Amino acid sequence: MTVLDRELEQIAALINDLRRQSQAAVFWAASSAHLESVGRWTEQHGAMCTVLQRAQEAAYSFCMGCLPVDRASALLDELGRSLPENVVAQSSWICADAALRTVVDATFEPGMSIEYALEPVLGRTSEELFGFWQVGRGDVEDEEVAEIMAQPEVVSAIEFCRWAVRRLAVAGAPSAAVLEGLRARAAILTDR
């Protein structure tokens, strides 16, 4: 188990301990930040982008306490039909899926989906350090992952996740101001 695996497990447990609306808020914020960072993709894939934006709007409504489960279920079905090829758009898509699945499935524990929220910053950092997007490989995985995890942008992204959980735990039910603060700070998760 790498240092990243342990970190993901810890953050996942913290997310799973939050109220359902707060769990969804973590993934709504990540999905929103990732979608904002893939401008050209959104121009080229209008229909997929529309589905993703509708899913994000529904997740936001759930966070605010006003989303019927049947609407979330229908949107979740739409998300399940395809997956973008762009890695950052995929992360946005999967985070939106996690937010909506939190609405639809009372047994779903979304915590480990945090890996997808972090994937763009981890992948970009790996690419900058080692020349490839994949995080860690073979017999040097532990060393590579440790080096990735020590980079300031990754440290900041991990800290954002921990901050978001603390903020949501204190807030109880998320407000519009809390959600906007999360979305703004979630930009650290992107691959820019």
Side-chain angles (χ1 to χ4, degrees), residues 26-27 30 34 91 95 113-121 161 189-190:
V26 171
F27 296 102
H34 291 319
S91 292
C95 288
S113 299
I114 200 64
E115 177 177 359
Y116 298 101
L118 291 164
E119 184 176 28
V121 71
C161 295
L189 300 173
T190 67

Side-chain angles (χ1 to χ4, degrees), residues 38-149:
V38 290
R40 288 194 71 199
W41 179 85
T42 60
E43 294 168 11
Q44 298 168 348
H45 298 87
M48 287 183 98
C49 185
T50 299
V51 169
L52 183 52
Q53 288 170 329
R54 287 186 20 239
Q56 289 173 346
E57 290 167 5
Y60 181 91
S61 293
F62 174 67
C63 294
M64 295 300 294
C66 51
L67 175 69
V69 171
D70 58 338
R71 182 168 167 232
S73 184
L75 285 165
L76 198 55
D77 288 343
E78 284 188 64
L79 286 175
R81 291 190 188 128
S82 60
L83 188 67
E85 290 181 18
N86 177 290
V87 175
V88 180
Q90 279 181 17
S91 292
S92 180
W93 198 269
I94 293 168
C95 288
D97 181 278
L100 289 180
R101 201 165 298 280
T102 300
V103 179
V104 173
D105 183 355
T107 64
F108 177 63
E109 292 187 337
M112 283 308 289
S113 299
I114 200 64
E115 177 177 359
Y116 298 101
L118 291 164
E119 184 176 28
V121 71
L122 292 167
R124 176 181 40 93
T125 304
S126 176
E127 189 170 49
E128 289 171 357
L129 290 172
F130 308 113
F132 52 88
W133 187 270
Q134 180 182 343
V135 177
R137 60 197 159 109
D139 57 344
V140 293
E141 180 179 24
D142 288 342
E143 294 82 11
E144 287 180 356
V145 168
E147 189 169 347
I148 290 166
M149 294 294 290

